[in-house]
Amino acid sequence: MIEKQTKERQNEQKWDKLLKIRTTGRDDSRANQYCYPYEPTPYCVLERLAQSGYITRKNKILDYGCGKGRVDFFLSWQTRCRSIGIEYNEWIFQQAKNNQEKAVCGGRVALECHNAKNYRVPLDADRIYFFNPFSLEILREVISRILESYYEAPRRILLFFYYPSDEYMSYLMTVEELLFLDEIHCMDLFPGNYYRERIVIFELQEDYCGTRADA
């Protein structure tokens, strides 16, 4: 177990150094019952996501609760996609902006300091990432925003949920427009073989609008 944890720390340091960013560490400074602490997705999980084939250079990923920008900088570097990071904490957002100035792929990343509930989802965003950034109440509003964007510009959208809570999963399974697509298992990457160590993928199908209209 100690050897695996040591390798994990080394991997974190390796990728931060390679990407020329600083994203390690947890931040609880503005956490509350609705907005959860900043904690970066482990790089080993992001490596698995990048290798899955679900994100390519043709995609634009929207990262809710981007924190210091790790997901955005890493996936833009690995898959050549474009990304948008949304962060409400101004202090952490500034650290993401500082990272962007030096990051090897900063030009492919857009960062916005914004409240997720009111954020208008870009009509070309087709990949959306969550690592438990906020409460279920906020997630419901965010999903509504995503659906608004989807119905305005029908397209295939994939939603990635890393380490999803049981309440997240229970809610997502009730959203009519969302179809469960796949899981990327990550349990082997960490001690304990914990079932939440996974990325659950849901899909909005491009032709769902027409199907719904004809129903």
Side-chain angles (χ1 to χ4, degrees):
M1 180 182 296
I2 295 177
E3 182 179 354
K4 182 173 272 191
Q5 290 174 338
T6 299
K7 288 182 178 179
E8 183 184 340
R9 285 195 297 270
Q10 291 174 342
N11 197 46
E12 297 284 290
Q13 296 168 356
K14 178 196 77 173
W15 276 112
D16 259 17
K17 184 176 181 179
L18 178 63
L19 297 173
K20 298 182 180 180
I21 57 178
R22 294 183 178 181
T23 61
T24 58
R26 178 185 169 103
D27 191 309
D28 299 79
S29 60
R30 290 191 61 187
N32 54 45
Q33 62 179 325
Y34 299 109
C35 299
Y36 299 156
Y38 164 72
E39 185 175 1
T41 302
Y43 276 117
C44 57
V45 172
L46 292 178
E47 288 177 286
R48 197 155 285 185
L49 175 57
Q51 294 164 4
S52 69
Y54 284 119
I55 302 172
T56 72
R57 64 184 303 163
K58 296 180 180 180
N59 300 125
K60 177 177 284 188
I61 187 166
L62 174 58
D63 175 21
Y64 278 102
C66 71
K68 300 174 185 177
R70 174 181 292 192
V71 169
D72 309 279
F73 297 122
F74 179 87
L75 291 177
S76 294
W77 170 252
Q78 284 290 89
T79 71
R80 310 310 294 168
C81 72
R82 293 193 173 276
S83 64
I84 306 171
I86 305 300
E87 176 58 50
Y88 90 107
N89 186 324
E90 295 178 3
W91 164 247
I92 296 179
F93 174 76
Q94 187 55 54
Q95 294 180 64
K97 293 294 287 183
N98 293 342
N99 280 329
Q100 188 177 30
E101 293 178 2
K102 299 179 180 179
V104 294
C105 54
R108 303 184 69 85
V109 175
L111 298 169
E112 298 187 35
C113 190
H114 214 290
N115 186 317
K117 294 189 299 182
N118 304 319
Y119 181 72
R120 185 176 183 273
V121 177
L123 300 183
D124 59 348
D126 60 358
R127 300 292 184 269
I128 304 178
Y129 185 84
F130 301 84
F131 177 17
N132 296 324
F134 31 63
S135 68
L136 179 59
E137 290 82 357
I138 296 179
L139 178 63
R140 291 177 185 274
E141 297 188 54
V142 167
I143 293 296
S144 294
R145 290 286 184 177
I146 294 171
L147 291 177
E148 287 175 4
S149 174
Y150 168 70
Y151 283 120
E152 186 174 351
R155 60 204 185 274
R156 184 176 188 244
I157 302 177
L158 301 186
L159 290 78
F160 303 94
F161 294 86
Y162 170 56
Y163 206 80
S165 66
D166 290 340
E167 63 175 2
Y168 262 38
M169 288 300 299
S170 295
Y171 162 66
L172 292 168
M173 296 299 287
T174 69
V175 179
E176 180 183 1
E177 294 90 342
L178 292 181
L179 298 176
F180 171 80
L181 178 64
D182 198 2
E183 286 187 5
I184 300 174
H185 295 284
C186 304
M187 293 181 288
D188 59 304
L189 298 174
F190 307 97
N193 202 36
Y194 190 39
Y195 78 97
R196 285 181 64 183
E197 286 293 352
R198 56 183 176 156
I199 301 173
V200 180
I201 308 172
F202 286 87
E203 176 184 20
L204 279 164
Q205 294 184 346
E206 187 174 2
D207 61 352
Y208 184 85
C209 290
T211 302
R212 188 185 195 200
D214 296 338

